[in-house]
Amino acid sequence: MYDVIISGGGPAGLNAALYAARSGLSCLVLEKMFAGGQMATTSSLENYIGFPDGIDAVTLAMQMEQQAKGAGAEIRYDEIISVELQDEIKKITTKKETFEAKTIILCMGASPRQLGADGEDRLRARGVSYCATCDGALYKGKTVAVVGGGDTALEDALFLAKYCKKVYLIHRRDAFRGTHTLAEKVKALENVELVMSHVVTEIKGEARVSALTVENRKNGSTHQILLDGIFIAVGTVPNTDLVKEQLPLDDQGYVVTDDAMQTALPGVFAAGDLRQKLLRQVITAASDGAVAAFSALRYLSEH
């Protein structure tokens, strides 16, 4: 029996573990993949306070994990297949065993959203990627496209421009949603071409991606772009399948909480990207984790 179980080892989960362990709570983190979660699939973080020159995201994730372990948190790498949240004692079943806890902090994060273009599923992992830092080095000297207009798409374009001969940045609007600083850096790169007010309607190729069909949203005209790969960065989908029948979600599928990270069920908290919130960044996920751990501690002291 644990005081708190944390489902997910991203910045929200690891910071929750740090705060919980430092408060004297017995704490278990369950993560199905690797430390850092979605954060560890990006490259350099330039907007995490305290690192004026940026920091490698994987390095930061490993440091977070080390710090949480050092405080006394237990971290296991195992996939959760079901959770039971309704009762006073929460049950979490993984592929290997079942755990019990007095409280649970949900930190499952979110996954990349699919574009929905023809050919996307067929050519996934054959030129269609959702992680520039995972696959970018495979396209050294080649031509690729990034689709999206937020910070992730801009960061992906900057990262890929270091390796690729040509990077097309395709965005459905006239202006980027990402930060001004990132947008200006992208615009200054000679090997990045902006394709604004366009959407990808088809991804073409036999064994691998060879071209895209893009449509001009203003006049409906279409044309092809010949390339070797496409990196899709059009947002995320919350990983809430485990809890969608047990907790209220908003219309986009994110868990609804109050400012204390408390969900509708007593002893059940949520933090990070799976939670309904204004801004999804590493810094805000870490903040959520700290608040959730404090709220779990308060809940345990009151019960």
Side-chain angles (χ1 to χ4, degrees):
M1 172 76 70
Y2 291 90
D3 290 323
V4 57
I5 288 179
I6 299 167
S7 60
L14 291 175
N15 206 37
L18 173 65
Y19 274 71
R22 284 175 57 87
S23 298
L25 303 181
S26 58
C27 171
L28 171 65
V29 178
L30 294 169
E31 167 57 48
K32 69 176 181 179
M33 294 181 67
F34 42 76
Q38 187 75 9
M39 175 184 75
T41 66
T42 189
S43 53
S44 175
L45 290 173
E46 297 185 357
N47 60 352
Y48 195 85
I49 193 69
F51 301 96
D53 298 321
I55 183 171
D56 177 74
V58 175
T59 299
L60 181 60
M62 297 304 293
Q63 290 174 348
M64 288 180 173
E65 180 188 41
Q66 181 181 4
Q67 191 171 2
K69 284 183 175 179
E74 181 182 350
I75 300 178
R76 298 195 189 190
Y77 288 91
D78 193 2
E79 183 175 358
I80 299 173
I81 58 175
S82 69
V83 296
E84 298 176 32
L85 306 177
Q86 304 288 339
D87 296 334
E88 183 176 353
I89 300 302
K90 320 302 177 186
K91 292 185 179 180
I92 298 89
T93 301
T94 71
K95 287 185 173 181
K96 298 177 181 178
E97 55 190 305
T98 297
F99 302 93
E100 293 185 340
K102 300 171 186 175
T103 64
I104 183 170
I105 302 176
L106 304 170
C107 304
M108 290 94 73
S111 299
R113 185 182 300 278
Q114 288 192 288
L115 196 59
D118 290 343
E120 180 178 1
D121 287 335
R122 181 174 60 86
L123 292 167
R124 185 166 185 163
R126 293 190 291 162
V128 173
S129 174
Y130 302 87
C131 178
T133 53
C134 303
D135 302 326
L138 300 174
Y139 294 86
K140 186 175 182 180
K142 297 184 178 182
T143 299
V144 300
V146 175
V147 183
D151 280 354
T152 300
L154 294 168
E155 289 169 352
D156 285 355
L158 288 169
F159 177 77
L160 291 166
K162 299 174 184 177
Y163 296 96
C164 301
K165 177 177 66 176
K166 177 88 171 184
V167 178
Y168 293 94
L169 180 53
I170 304 168
H171 184 38
R172 66 195 309 272
R173 296 185 174 88
D174 287 331
F176 293 114
R177 294 180 290 106
T179 58
H180 176 75
T181 301
L182 286 174
E184 291 305 305
K185 286 183 178 180
V186 169
K187 291 175 184 178
L189 294 174
E190 293 184 359
N191 63 334
V192 175
E193 181 176 334
L194 305 183
V195 185
M196 309 298 284
S197 299
H198 281 72
V199 293
V200 176
T201 58
E202 185 179 4
I203 303 172
K204 296 186 173 184
E206 295 301 325
R208 291 192 60 82
V209 169
S210 60
L212 302 179
T213 300
V214 295
E215 177 183 321
N216 187 313
R217 297 187 68 229
K218 293 183 177 179
N219 58 29
S221 64
T222 63
H223 70 275
Q224 284 194 18
I225 298 175
L226 302 179
L227 39 61
D228 305 290
I230 175 174
F231 293 85
I232 298 170
V234 292
T236 58
V237 178
N239 297 325
T240 51
D241 284 349
L242 285 172
V243 299
K244 64 183 180 181
E245 303 299 331
Q246 302 180 62
L247 289 173
L249 308 178
D250 70 6
D251 56 0
Q252 293 183 307
Y254 292 93
V255 175
V256 177
T257 73
D258 60 17
D259 290 343
M261 309 299 139
Q262 173 69 59
T263 70
L265 293 178
V268 179
F269 307 89
D273 285 2
L274 90 167
R275 186 178 78 87
Q276 181 189 55
K277 57 193 296 186
L278 178 63
L279 181 64
R280 293 182 176 86
Q281 295 285 303
V282 174
I283 192 74
T284 60
S287 173
D288 283 359
V291 174
F294 176 80
S295 295
L297 175 64
R298 186 172 60 182
Y299 171 87
L300 290 168
S301 68
E302 293 174 351
H303 294 78

